[in-house]
Amino acid sequence: MGTKVNIRQIAELSGTSASTVSRVLSGKQTGVQISQATREKILAVCRQLDYQPSVHAARLFSRQAKMIGFLHPGQTFIEDDNLARAMSGVYSRLHPAGYRCLPIVYDDLFVEDKEYLNLFKRQEVDALIVWGASEDTVWLDELHEEGKPFLLLANRFRTYPAVTCDQKRGVAAMVERGRACGARRFVYVNVGEGDSCQQRRKGFLESVQGCQAHIVSGGLRIADGFRAVEEILRLAPEAVVCGNDRLAIGVQKGLLEAGRRIPEDILVTGGDNIELSQYGPVPLTTFDQMAAPCARLGTDILLDHLQNEAPLRSELLSPKIHFRQSC
């Protein structure tokens, strides 16, 4: 029955005008004052008739999609712990505010077709949250020039609004822990590129002043850490600071297979505080980059901008440190 009912019928049954019904169903605040009694009367008629308003009609009236696009790079998959935590944090804020989330992978085709702009032109989204921006996301410049609202998570890009964690502080805490345990020879297993990774590497280099330090190639996965062990053994460090927990777990596996004891012979630390960090060969000393809190705060900032025209801004959260048996 709901598909046969229109706004004019609801207006007639509720004793109001079609424009009043449209304003109530759109949920948009306008200069026209509508009493609570009138709203309840209209909604009661809708419930009685099982009427479900057209999303497209509501968008046309309110000029809002009530949808936030969540963009993440094509090379990153949902099993990434921080991506999953960030998405969960975004959802937890959008749903109570009456917004929905549209997850989108941004890849070469997405950029070539200028989908980042077309999403707004088709009125599919009101704003974008961009997770894991890199040096290649220059299309953000065009979004900025067009005045389209967006906010970055995990990685910063230029001076655009971003809510991130202090990655340098997290890695520095790992080095400080190693030094407190007596280590003076360090190896850093590099995690990759991008702002977050660069900040971690800088945190290592700045905090090992006065110590012997080397950087070896790593990657993102456990296997990358395992492959780095041969070079680590050649350098004979007292502590290995890994760019993330997956690398650290791979390093642990390689060191243990080579007969090294952790932490008696060598210290190992990670980063990200993934669930596996507590249950690996030796529970990891690590830091949490606060992906969910960053996402919640970022979403709040974006919603405040959409609903109250508050300016978009950047925030930097402190990491949470976890000391465990590996260091």
Side-chain angles (χ1 to χ4, degrees):
M1 181 177 181
T3 58
K4 299 178 182 180
V5 178
N6 59 46
I7 286 177
R8 287 186 175 82
Q9 290 173 294
I10 295 172
E12 182 178 349
L13 291 170
S14 62
T16 60
S17 66
S19 61
T20 299
V21 173
S22 293
R23 289 187 177 92
V24 170
L25 296 182
S26 72
K28 181 176 176 61
Q29 298 296 323
T30 68
V32 179
Q33 296 297 318
I34 301 174
S35 70
Q36 187 61 31
T38 298
R39 291 179 184 276
E40 291 176 357
K41 186 187 300 183
I42 290 170
L43 295 175
V45 171
C46 291
R47 288 193 294 270
Q48 180 182 353
L49 299 177
D50 191 26
Y51 175 76
Q52 298 297 323
S54 164
V55 172
H56 302 292
R59 289 177 181 175
L60 183 63
F61 180 84
S62 67
R63 298 187 180 275
Q64 287 187 336
K66 289 290 185 177
M67 182 84 75
I68 305 297
F70 185 103
L71 308 187
H72 62 91
Q75 70 270 22
T76 307
F77 299 98
I78 196 64
E79 65 262 23
D80 184 290
D81 297 81
N82 288 309
L83 172 56
R85 290 169 178 171
M87 293 183 74
S88 177
V90 169
Y91 292 150
S92 72
R93 286 297 196 260
L94 290 183
H95 181 68
Y99 284 76
R100 290 180 291 177
C101 185
L102 179 64
I104 306 168
V105 171
Y106 60 89
D107 52 17
D108 291 341
L109 185 61
F110 177 89
V111 175
E112 290 170 8
D113 292 344
K114 294 198 173 184
E115 273 298 292
Y116 49 90
L117 285 177
N118 294 335
L119 289 166
F120 288 97
K121 292 178 180 178
R122 294 193 298 263
Q123 208 173 339
E124 292 183 32
V125 300
D126 298 318
L128 294 175
I129 291 174
V130 183
W131 188 90
S134 67
E135 295 86 348
D136 298 329
T137 51
V138 292
W139 45 271
L140 291 174
D141 294 335
E142 193 171 359
L143 270 179
H144 175 68
E145 292 168 2
E146 292 286 335
K148 306 303 182 185
F150 65 89
L151 185 136
L152 310 182
L153 292 177
N155 287 352
R156 303 167 304 176
F157 184 76
R158 307 203 197 286
T159 58
Y160 295 134
V163 178
T164 56
C165 179
D166 192 341
Q167 309 284 340
K168 289 173 61 176
R169 183 173 175 181
V171 171
M174 300 296 97
V175 174
E176 290 165 7
R177 180 64 171 180
R179 296 182 73 149
C181 293
R184 292 298 179 270
R185 298 193 308 274
F186 287 84
V187 161
Y188 179 72
V189 186
N190 194 37
V191 70
E193 298 304 321
D195 175 67
S196 177
C197 302
Q198 292 173 8
Q199 292 301 311
R200 294 185 186 206
R201 186 165 57 249
K202 288 179 182 177
F204 173 78
L205 291 173
E206 290 177 5
S207 56
V208 291
Q209 297 298 317
C211 296
Q212 181 182 332
H214 299 275
I215 295 178
V216 304
S217 298
L220 294 171
R221 302 184 181 276
I222 293 174
D224 298 323
F226 185 78
R227 283 192 292 269
V229 169
E230 182 177 353
E231 186 173 1
I232 291 171
L233 290 172
R234 181 179 61 80
L235 294 168
E238 296 168 319
V240 182
V241 178
C242 298
N244 69 17
D245 289 340
R246 293 181 184 275
L247 284 174
I249 290 166
V251 167
Q252 280 190 344
K253 176 177 171 60
L255 291 175
L256 292 171
E257 289 185 2
R260 301 301 194 273
R261 298 173 301 166
I262 304 170
E264 293 85 355
D265 299 330
I266 189 168
L267 308 173
V268 180
T269 69
D272 290 336
N273 191 38
I274 66 174
E275 184 178 13
L276 191 57
S277 67
Q278 300 180 58
Y279 305 106
V282 181
L284 273 171
T285 288
T286 184
F287 67 92
D288 194 319
Q289 69 163 277
M290 313 299 284
C294 283
R296 290 193 291 268
L297 177 55
T299 305
D300 288 343
I301 291 171
L302 200 54
L303 288 174
D304 195 22
H305 173 75
L306 294 174
Q307 296 171 342
N308 305 310
E309 299 184 355
L312 294 172
R313 67 181 193 275
S314 294
E315 294 285 351
L316 185 67
L317 274 63
S318 296
K320 184 175 182 179
I321 311 303
H322 297 271
F323 296 123
R324 302 191 182 111
Q325 290 94 313
S326 70
C327 185

